[in-house]
Amino acid sequence: MQYLAPTTVEEAVSALAGHSGDCRVLAGGTDLLVRMRSDMADPDAVIDLKRIDALCQITPEKGGWRIGAAVSGAEMGEHEALVADWPGVVEATNLIGSTQVQGRCTMAGNLCNASPAADSVPAMVAAGAVARIAGPNGSRDVPVEEIPTGPGKTSLKKGELIEAILLPERPERSADAYLRFIPRTEMDIAVVGCAVSLTLDAEGTCTAARVSLGAVAPTVLLVPEAANALIGTKIDDPALEALAAACSAAAKPIDDKRGTVDFRVHVAGVLARRAAVIARKRAGGAA
Amino acid sequence: MSKIHVTTSVNGDPTEFLCEADETLLDALRDRLGMTGAKEGCGTGDCGACSITVDGRLVCSCLMLGAEAEGHEIGTIEGMADGDQLHPLQRKFIEHAALQCGICTPGLLVAAKSLLERNPDPSEEEARYWLAGNLCRCTGYDKIIRAVMDAAQEMREAS
Amino acid sequence: MALDDKQQYQAREFKVVGTRVKRPDGIDKVTGKARFGADMSAPGMLVGRVLRSPHAHARIVSIDTSAAEALAGVHAVVTRADFDEITGDDATADILDNCMAGDKALYDGHAVAAVAASSAAIAKQALKLIKVDYEVLPHVTDVDAAMETDAPALHKGRANESVPAGMSANVLSRYEFGHGDIEAGLAKADRVLERTFRTEATHQGYIEPHACLASMGADGQADLWCCTQGHYMVRNVCAAIMGMEQGQLRVTASEIGGGFGGKTTVFLEPVALALSRKTSRPVKMVMSRSEVLRATGPTASSSVDVRIGMTKDGRITAGFAELRYQGGAYPGSPVEFGAMSAFAPYDLENVKTIGWDVVTNRPKQAAYRAPGAPMAAYAVESAVDELAKGFGLDPLAVRLKNAAREGTRASYGPTFPAIGLEATLRAAKDHPHWTAPLGKNQGRGVACGFWFNFGGDTCVSLNITPDGTVTVSEGNPDIGGSRASMSMMAAEELGIPYEQVRTIVADTGSLGQNEVTDGSRVTFAVGLATIEAARAAKREMCKRAAMTWGIDEDAVKWEDGAAHPAGENAGKHPPMTLKEIAAIASNTGGPIAGHHEANPEGAGVSFATHMVDTEVDPDTGAVKILRYTVFQDAGKAVHPDYVEGQFQGGAVQGIGWALNEEYIYGDDGVLQNAGFLDYRIPVASDLPMIDTVILEIPNPGHPYGVRGVGETSIVPPLAAVANSVSEAAGVRLTQLPMSPPRVLRALQAK
Amino acid sequence: MVKVRIWGSLAAMTDDQTEVEVEAATLRELLDGLAGNFPGLRPQLDRGVSVAIDGRIYNDSWFTPIRPDSEVVLLARLKGG
């Protein structure tokens, strides 16, 4: 295996595009090294992004935030302004693995690993986040939900890598929240995950919402019916019931070692209700 | 297969080593540098026995390539005591009988030190969540948490 | 030899025993210096790796190792053909077959070949070049399915004489214990409860994977460094497998990173020796976590039917249990201990248990802390709890009413001497935990547990250095602080400070035979041998003082770390301290030592009662442990910190078993969760503090009254947590683990 | 003669008796006596047993004295973890 450590995005792209073998991007490495260890990956080369300064920064952009592909979960959690704007995205990213894993793991890596149970992805999808892709033909911005196409598979083309995740500007009285269900209190992969992002008007009525679910389908689901259950309401009990029902209806999970179909369908609704209440409170609505 | 030359510092000592491209930092520390204080309990970031710090940040050395250490400052359990002066956490672990077999102890100490550097006055719950990535099978964590809380108090009083 | 009168318990005032001294291995373990199994290297060392079966059950038609052997950097490949067949010793033959498969791979992860190479990378590459031609066979992993007469059979003709004809070939033994008349007893009950309880296999989950470093020379002498609970066992088993004389193999125990029973056998060691024999180079082998989970441990899974009758005032009129344990691919599930211990906490006129030992296509089970008892206690203690609560009775009062005590004929046969069960129950009843208020969706459970202790071969040598410090050599790996407790008992007996004694774990060349560190035996048996070794040294020191004073040695007594004239007639001599006697040892006959070699049998039994509060999330089935208190009889707590540590560790392992730990096999018989990600042992944030109450009902068979404490603590928690969760959920749960999907399903079915 | 209680599934080897009598003053004599009087017990005795004598458990110690009035109970060979 070759270890490559470019210092510019251009170098990285050219190395990635020019390599003839199995060449992987190494951001935090907390998924890639596990795959290598478990014989699920045996790359010919890895390209470490962490020596590219621009990819290690959290930068304001167009009223929102640009988070470099090599920024760790811990660094996001320590960034007060980012946490204030996007508490749900940060809390979701901070749920990936242990404190130790937080020191390395990245949102972009979590996205490209393309696990349906990735914690940060439902939060990014609910946030309307965009992935900035660098490739041989230049740069393009793509909604994050279009990146994973199935377990372990992405829409990235040969030579492309994600250089940053962009989070949009927040209107007033907006907030997001992410909850996941795991058997223990830490260290597990989400059995179900749910993110809610919403905006309230001055009266506390929901004017915009996005709701997404993790680990209930081959990719993270954006659930418009669930968002519609909230929009135009004060996120009261009937709205929450409708939200839960919409999420349970949208969930199309499988039975596996982490949970059953029935369990995931039911808990998708439970988590949606609880996440919406947290987001409502964060946005300044009823506690 | 050509090896990679890595220049780094380990516990403040300038250090160089050669490693394979796919070799973890844990293997490099243990097999190249003879620093066997960090342990491999799982190799997949699930047990924390290999905990070290990189530029002061807590990480699993099994989830890092040795090559990634280039230019960074590595901190391991071997650097925690100052000569014969144990770190308060090390002393409290002994006083509270916070270890039985001792295999998880280096990782727990490195992780707990990192906690107290960021949060000198953690609640019991904060300590438990911070240390959730450090598995211990012997103690049930009770005496470990007591040792960490006691060390935190002593360090606060001393500062 | 049996216990003599001097070894009986005598009440005394302790000076060192019972204090909380610092452990001697503490500094090495907090500074990273302590050397565990994988921390040792040798010049010219090769790396050994194992190729494992991807199939649950397959005939090994052929193995072609030629391509691997041809790879540069590969020094040897071994398969079963490199080992002589073992005849006339089924137990050792099974161990060999488990270390290296013969004509069949019997479970996913079964070793089929191994390589020694100059680097880990080359070894890994070599494994991929070994071509194994498998004929895949039907498999079975569930105990009840394996007992069906048409189940795939792992072995032929292994059932012993206790098994009735016509059963599945996977049923290898039947055990029956008990006394009285079950049907007559049940007829007297106001309610008879019949239930079936199931538990999944759990792994001991030690954080240190198995590791060893073997070096064998052309002269047939060998050295082996390994992490084990018993290096003397490793020596004997490996010598038998390798066809060596035991004296030619010296085994040194590394520091051991947890065992809990799982390191009481060998897995890698014979393979490493075989690779070293073939290469004449040292060979180091270290398992990955996935190998540990696929191919070592775990415990048995179980399916248990119980029938218990109770009168409405809480008297148990009869207890019956039929236990089916699968112990993996070889005979030896611990079902007999389940059958013996199931009703041990109760004084019953009518009691009967039947146990079936069953094989399946899973790894050979290894002992796990009180092997076999937790699953049996889970079934019985759940049923007793349900009956008590059904009658509106206090579950602690019901247990007290039926409690086994001195003079009770135990369900497994003998009459109990002084035991501590009642004391633990009374302590539980008097504890503030018992009456603390509970909130919504919360429940409180209690359960009792029992385990045996035993002795076994033990050697201790105690040497007095010229400057009067004391070194103790023992032959049992220190798994939970035993070097501290041996130093304490030696210091107590010699009347000197703890700091003046240092205990080491000696290699197999230094002492005679030592039984494995198991059966909660070390503090009891090695402690007893340490006390006897100290007594022998004291006798010698009194003799040296007598010589120095020119008086009869009978006229000298040992007190407070010094020899004293025994009375007025002995003359007026100032006391000679241990240091003073040591300083002139060369002048009085040479070095002074005491040693003791024995098989100190007659260990006492141990009981515990656990109490736990849980809260169930009615929307998700998630269980939170709110509060936990352990009440256990320790006989005498030599080092209370480490006694508490055993109580807490056992309780938390039991909590894991109850809630989230399980072996998950796919339809293909392949283990699906061979890592710490999905084999979910409790993490720090899952738990509250684990409170402990140490009771001290002296063991009459130990001079200080010590009982083993290491195992009993894992027996009650499965049932205690189940009783608590069942109360919180308002529905009885009968299957472990009580994972959230299972609890939620039970809640929804209410 | 010493009365020895055996466990239920061994009774098939002792004409359905769960208590048998053996002439024995030590553990070794007891085990030899059992094997001699009840050859059907031999396979289990070979696999190993523990013996509770007056409430205490012995595995190996041949010369443990047994009194005529001792309570003697055969147990499955104990193992621990």
Side-chain angles (χ1 to χ4, degrees):
Chain A
M1 189 186 95
Q2 259 186 306
Y3 169 82
L4 303 170
T7 52
T8 66
V9 173
E10 294 70 29
E11 275 178 66
V13 167
S14 110
L16 191 58
H19 204 284
S20 57
D22 178 5
C23 183
R24 305 283 179 107
V25 173
L26 173 69
T30 54
D31 279 315
L32 182 58
L33 265 70
V34 173
R35 281 171 180 265
M36 286 163 59
R37 171 67 190 226
S38 325
D39 285 334
M40 289 157 65
D42 190 8
D44 300 305
V46 297
I47 299 179
D48 186 357
L49 300 184
K50 288 184 294 297
R51 291 193 208 162
I52 305 175
D53 282 345
L55 303 197
C56 300
Q57 312 294 328
I58 300 172
T59 321
E61 181 170 310
K62 292 185 190 159
W65 295 98
R66 183 177 78 236
I67 298 155
V71 171
S72 70
E75 288 165 330
M76 288 173 62
E78 288 160 10
H79 196 292
E80 287 180 16
L82 176 67
V83 174
D85 275 1
W86 291 103
V89 171
V90 176
E91 77 191 340
T93 308
N94 287 166
L95 284 173
I96 300 168
S98 59
T99 315
Q100 286 83 343
V101 168
Q102 281 297 309
R104 306 292 287 178
C105 72
T106 67
M107 248 193 332
N110 202 219
L111 180 63
C112 292
N113 190 50
S115 160
D119 282 308
S120 71
V121 179
M124 282 192 271
V125 168
V130 166
R132 178 156 298 162
I133 298 170
N137 301 319
S139 175
R140 62 189 178 107
D141 287 357
V142 173
V144 292
E145 53 268 38
E146 293 176 18
I147 300 292
T149 55
K153 295 195 168 62
T154 72
S155 58
L156 294 176
K157 298 190 184 70
K158 170 82 179 161
E160 286 189 332
L161 59 85
I162 292 179
E163 58 176 304
I165 301 293
L166 307 175
L167 292 170
E169 182 175 13
R170 282 312 246 167
E172 268 190 278
R173 292 181 298 277
S174 297
D176 64 338
Y178 173 78
L179 289 175
R180 66 169 182 189
F181 185 86
I182 54 172
R184 291 179 291 186
T185 52
E186 267 285 359
M187 302 304 294
D188 292 329
I189 301 291
V191 181
V192 186
C194 179
V196 175
S197 175
L198 50 76
T199 301
L200 305 178
D201 67 13
E203 280 71 49
T205 300
C206 177
T207 57
R210 282 166 70 91
V211 177
S212 65
L213 294 173
V216 295
T219 59
V220 168
L221 297 179
L222 182 67
V223 190
E225 303 79 11
N228 291 340
L230 298 177
I231 294 167
T233 76
K234 290 203 175 332
I235 313 182
D236 47 13
D237 283 344
L240 291 167
E241 282 309 310
L243 166 76
C247 284
S248 290
K252 298 285 181 281
I254 55 167
D255 281 325
D256 68 8
K257 61 190 171 189
R258 295 176 184 144
T260 59
V261 168
D262 291 349
F263 181 80
R264 287 182 159 119
V265 165
H266 176 80
V267 172
V270 172
L271 294 185
R273 195 184 316 139
R274 291 178 181 176
V277 169
I278 295 168
R280 179 183 70 189
K281 185 182 173 195
R282 285 180 180 162
Chain B
M1 201 184 289
S2 59
K3 289 199 174 73
I4 295 175
H5 178 260
V6 177
T7 306
T8 175
S9 92
V10 180
N11 301 323
D13 294 335
T15 304
E16 295 174 61
F17 60 86
L18 291 175
C19 68
E20 306 289 351
D22 60 357
E23 187 172 325
T24 64
L25 179 56
L26 174 62
D27 285 343
L29 285 170
R30 291 178 55 86
D31 300 340
R32 309 274 176 196
L33 300 175
M35 304 186 77
T36 56
K39 309 297 179 189
E40 178 174 307
C42 68
T44 51
D46 297 308
C47 81
C50 66
S51 294
I52 59 161
T53 57
V54 176
D55 299 335
R57 196 175 285 289
L58 181 66
V59 302
C60 284
S61 57
C62 75
L63 291 187
M64 251 184 93
L65 297 175
E68 290 180 83
E70 173 68 35
H72 294 289
E73 290 178 9
I74 307 298
T76 73
I77 185 66
E78 286 91 346
M80 193 158 166
D82 180 9
D84 64 353
Q85 288 296 301
L86 294 181
H87 186 281
L89 276 162
Q90 292 174 309
R91 233 181 332 99
K92 291 298 179 187
F93 264 57
I94 296 175
E95 276 174 32
H96 284 267
L99 55 141
Q100 281 177 35
C101 80
I103 191 86
C104 69
T105 307
L108 268 157
L109 285 165
V110 170
K113 178 166 174 273
S114 164
L115 166 67
L116 300 186
E117 281 164 4
R118 279 163 181 72
N119 182 356
D121 190 11
S123 66
E124 183 191 323
E125 190 180 19
E126 286 168 336
R128 284 183 181 276
Y129 273 88
W130 183 274
L131 298 174
N134 290 86
L135 299 182
C136 168
R137 191 60 158 171
C138 292
T139 65
Y141 305 103
D142 182 298
K143 292 180 190 300
I144 290 171
I145 298 297
R146 288 179 201 279
V148 171
M149 301 304 281
D150 192 17
Q153 185 178 349
E154 185 188 292
M155 288 165 69
R156 284 196 306 276
E157 285 165 3
S159 65
Chain C
M1 63 172 263
L3 292 166
D4 61 33
D5 289 342
K6 291 197 306 284
Q7 291 173 335
Q8 304 300 302
Y9 170 71
Q10 288 172 313
R12 62 187 286 161
E13 286 286 312
F14 290 106
K15 286 181 177 156
V16 182
V17 165
T19 64
R20 297 178 190 247
V21 298
K22 289 178 192 168
R23 62 191 293 164
D25 51 332
I27 293 202
D28 278 358
K29 285 184 174 169
V30 301
T31 55
K33 283 186 216 156
R35 283 195 293 187
F36 291 84
D39 296 340
M40 187 63 105
S41 304
M45 180 175 88
L46 299 171
V47 178
R49 287 281 188 278
V50 176
L51 182 71
R52 297 183 180 277
S53 168
H55 305 294
H57 195 190
R59 188 166 309 285
I60 298 171
V61 181
S62 65
I63 304 179
D64 180 356
T65 60
S66 54
E69 281 161 333
L71 183 68
V74 172
H75 289 252
V77 181
V78 297
T79 65
R80 182 62 172 273
D82 291 275
F83 296 89
D84 290 336
E85 289 307 308
I86 291 166
T87 51
D89 180 355
D90 284 354
T92 306
D94 284 347
I95 292 172
L96 169 59
D97 200 66
N98 192 40
C99 291
M100 191 56 75
D103 58 349
K104 288 208 294 184
L106 293 169
Y107 55 91
D108 165 45
H110 199 166
V112 296
V115 304
S118 56
S119 77
I122 293 171
K124 190 175 161 181
Q125 205 183 336
L127 292 184
K128 291 178 183 163
L129 296 175
I130 298 174
K131 296 186 196 73
V132 185
D133 182 9
Y134 293 103
E135 176 196 341
V136 177
L137 302 170
H139 67 272
V140 61
T141 55
D142 177 75
V143 62
D144 290 321
M147 290 181 78
E148 301 284 338
T149 48
D150 58 351
L154 277 80
H155 309 282
K156 291 273 188 309
R158 293 295 304 265
N160 71 30
E161 72 287 350
S162 65
V163 179
M167 297 193 74
S168 158
N170 298 322
V171 179
L172 301 191
S173 296
R174 177 182 182 277
Y175 295 90
E176 183 185 315
F177 298 93
H179 55 256
D181 182 335
I182 294 297
E183 297 308 323
L186 292 175
K188 291 185 197 152
D190 292 310
R191 184 181 171 199
V192 174
L193 182 76
E194 288 193 50
R195 284 223 183 282
T196 298
F197 295 89
R198 291 190 176 82
T199 68
E200 238 322 325
T202 54
H203 196 276
Q204 295 80 351
Y206 32 82
I207 307 299
E208 181 200 29
H210 298 264
C212 68
L213 172 60
S215 182
M216 193 186 261
D219 59 358
Q221 292 188 51
D223 278 285
L224 181 64
W225 158 275
C226 62
C227 60
T228 175
Q229 288 176 246
H231 43 309
Y232 291 79
M233 169 278 297
V234 172
R235 176 192 66 184
N236 300 353
V237 172
C238 288
I241 289 175
M242 303 299 294
M244 298 170 69
E245 288 177 326
Q246 293 172 353
Q248 300 302 319
L249 173 58
R250 188 179 68 144
V251 184
T252 306
S254 70
E255 293 290 344
I256 175 171
F260 318 111
K263 291 176 182 167
T264 57
T265 184
V266 298
F267 298 101
L268 292 175
E269 292 83 354
V271 180
L273 283 165
L275 286 168
S276 181
R277 178 166 63 188
K278 214 165 171 176
T279 58
S280 292
R281 297 265 292 265
V283 176
K284 180 170 170 177
M285 300 187 80
V286 182
M287 278 196 196
S288 67
R289 177 55 49 185
S290 147
E291 289 181 288
V292 170
L293 287 166
R294 284 170 76 202
T296 76
T299 185
S301 65
S302 75
S303 167
V304 180
D305 302 331
V306 293
R307 284 164 73 203
I308 300 179
M310 191 183 277
T311 61
K312 58 182 184 291
D313 64 349
R315 182 70 210 166
I316 300 173
T317 59
F320 172 81
E322 182 160 355
L323 307 93
R324 298 168 294 271
Y325 288 12
Q326 69 73 29
Y330 301 89
S333 85
V335 71
E336 65 268 42
F337 309 128
M340 286 162 74
S341 64
F343 287 99
Y346 296 101
D347 178 6
L348 300 177
E349 269 180 48
N350 309 295
V351 58
K352 182 170 166 178
T353 55
I354 295 172
W356 299 98
D357 177 24
V358 182
V359 287
T360 67
N361 294 109
R362 295 186 183 218
K364 177 177 165 61
Q365 70 87 37
Y368 183 19
R369 221 168 184 158
M375 312 79 134
Y378 163 60
V380 169
E381 290 294 279
S382 292
V384 167
D385 193 74
E386 183 172 353
L387 280 162
K389 285 176 176 164
F391 286 124
L393 299 171
D394 173 335
L396 275 180
V398 166
R399 286 177 172 82
L400 268 167
K401 191 183 191 102
N402 295 286
R405 44 181 65 87
E406 185 168 0
T408 293
R409 183 173 169 189
S411 56
Y412 59 92
T415 304
F416 281 127
I419 53 173
L421 175 62
E422 254 185 299
T424 69
L425 284 163
R426 291 196 191 287
K429 215 165 164 43
D430 294 341
H431 196 276
H433 184 167
W434 184 235
T435 48
L438 286 170
K440 202 178 162 204
N441 299 319
Q442 297 180 353
R444 176 166 299 142
V446 293
C448 297
F450 158 86
W451 186 243
F452 307 93
N453 282 182
F454 51 82
D457 286 335
T458 306
C459 302
V460 169
S461 282
L462 183 150
N463 288 281
I464 313 280
T465 64
D467 72 354
T469 47
V470 175
T471 62
V472 176
S473 299
E474 54 144 320
N476 278 88
D478 177 352
I479 199 158
S482 58
R483 275 167 294 193
S485 52
M486 294 315 137
S487 294
M488 291 171 82
M489 284 186 264
E492 184 76 47
E493 197 60 36
L494 294 170
I496 59 176
Y498 165 74
E499 292 73 18
Q500 208 173 320
V501 185
R502 178 158 185 201
T503 299
I504 62 146
V505 178
D507 63 41
T508 58
S510 306
L511 294 170
Q513 174 65 16
N514 285 279
E515 172 62 63
V516 176
T517 297
D518 69 351
S520 306
R521 68 174 221 94
V522 170
T523 314
F524 167 75
V526 185
L528 197 146
T530 301
I531 291 166
E532 286 303 317
R535 287 176 179 172
K538 284 197 299 193
R539 284 193 293 275
E540 182 63 24
M541 289 188 287
C542 285
K543 188 177 130 195
R544 304 293 177 93
M547 289 165 74
T548 309
W549 292 330
I551 63 175
D552 198 64
E553 61 184 270
D554 293 343
V556 179
K557 62 179 180 181
W558 189 268
E559 250 176 37
D560 293 333
H564 297 256
E568 290 296 315
N569 297 338
K572 285 201 183 304
H573 302 284
M576 284 183 79
T577 65
L578 186 148
K579 282 179 189 275
E580 287 163 348
I581 296 169
I584 56 164
S586 304
N587 313 101
T588 58
I592 299 170
H595 60 99
H596 190 75
E597 295 78 26
N599 182 351
E601 304 209 288
V605 297
S606 164
F607 287 91
T609 298
H610 287 201
M611 188 181 297
V612 54
D613 297 352
T614 60
E615 181 170 326
V616 173
D617 180 338
D619 293 330
T620 65
V623 174
K624 184 177 167 62
I625 304 286
L626 302 171
R627 183 170 183 180
Y628 204 107
T629 311
V630 177
F631 306 87
Q632 187 175 323
D633 172 20
K636 173 68 195 173
V638 175
H639 193 310
D641 276 341
Y642 291 104
V643 172
E644 290 163 6
Q646 291 295 322
F647 290 5
Q648 291 163 336
V652 168
Q653 289 180 343
I655 289 170
W657 199 335
L659 294 182
N660 282 309
E661 292 181 35
E662 61 179 319
Y663 264 49
I664 304 171
Y665 280 94
D667 292 339
D668 55 2
V670 171
L671 183 63
Q672 298 199 335
N673 58 333
F676 273 144
L677 182 62
D678 287 302
Y679 184 82
R680 304 180 189 101
I681 78 170
V683 301
S685 50
D686 291 344
L687 298 163
M689 293 298 184
I690 307 293
D691 295 326
T692 55
V693 176
I694 301 174
L695 297 152
E696 295 188 323
I697 291 84
N699 173 10
H702 186 280
Y704 294 173
V706 167
R707 293 178 200 271
V709 298
E711 293 175 286
T712 309
S713 55
I714 202 173
V715 183
L718 281 57
V721 175
N723 292 340
S724 177
V725 170
S726 296
E727 185 175 291
V731 55
R732 175 60 53 179
L733 288 136
T734 58
Q735 192 173 355
L736 301 185
M738 294 179 288
S739 56
R742 201 168 272 153
V743 174
L744 185 66
R745 202 182 314 137
L747 284 164
Q748 288 170 338
K750 250 201 310 196
Chain D
M1 296 289 268
V2 179
K3 287 189 182 129
V4 185
R5 270 187 227 146
I6 62 170
W7 71 82
S9 38
L10 294 183
M13 317 300 165
T14 57
D15 305 323
D16 289 331
Q17 307 170 74
T18 54
E19 190 162 279
V20 298
E21 294 207 347
V22 181
E23 193 68 58
T26 64
L27 181 55
R28 184 188 195 183
E29 290 170 11
L30 178 94
L31 296 173
D32 288 348
L34 282 173
N37 298 357
F38 306 99
L41 290 178
R42 206 180 272 276
Q44 180 62 47
L45 293 170
D46 288 347
R47 284 193 297 271
V49 293
S50 295
V51 183
I53 302 170
D54 294 322
R56 289 196 189 159
I57 294 169
Y58 299 85
N59 284 337
D60 303 302
S61 302
W62 277 355
F63 304 110
T64 304
I66 302 177
R67 294 186 310 274
D69 61 342
S70 287
E71 180 199 59
V72 179
V73 184
L74 221 53
L75 305 174
R77 174 89 180 188
L78 289 174
K79 295 187 196 102

